[in-house]
């Protein structure tokens, strides 16, 4: 890397960042289409609203 011009180093950096952003968008798109199961209350983490039982 020491022998490469500065512009080429920046180009490699920008390409790597663009690739990471593109992969992030792909993962987010796929994750948004997965149906999530409803949360269970096995350990009592979810509290009901006041007055609701």
């Amino acid at each position: 890397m020491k022998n490469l011009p500065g512009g080429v180093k920046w180009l490699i950096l920008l390409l790597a960042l663009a690739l990471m952003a593109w992969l992030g968008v792909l993962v987010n798109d796929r994750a948004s289409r997965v149906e999530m199961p409803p949360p269970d209350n096995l350990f009592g983490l979810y509290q009901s609203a006041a007055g609701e039982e």
Side-chain angles (χ1 to χ4, degrees):
M1 287 292 281
K2 289 185 177 184
N3 295 336
L4 293 175
V8 174
K9 290 179 187 178
W10 279 106
L11 181 62
I12 292 171
L13 178 66
L14 290 176
L15 288 174
L17 290 175
L19 176 65
M20 288 173 49
W22 180 62
L23 290 175
V25 168
L26 289 178
V27 168
N28 188 37
D29 180 52
R30 177 153 187 214
S32 68
R33 290 185 273 128
V34 173
E35 184 176 335
M36 297 297 290
D40 61 358
N41 201 16
L42 181 65
F43 300 109
L45 297 174
Y46 303 104
Q47 302 292 326
S48 62
E52 288 184 30
E53 293 291 329

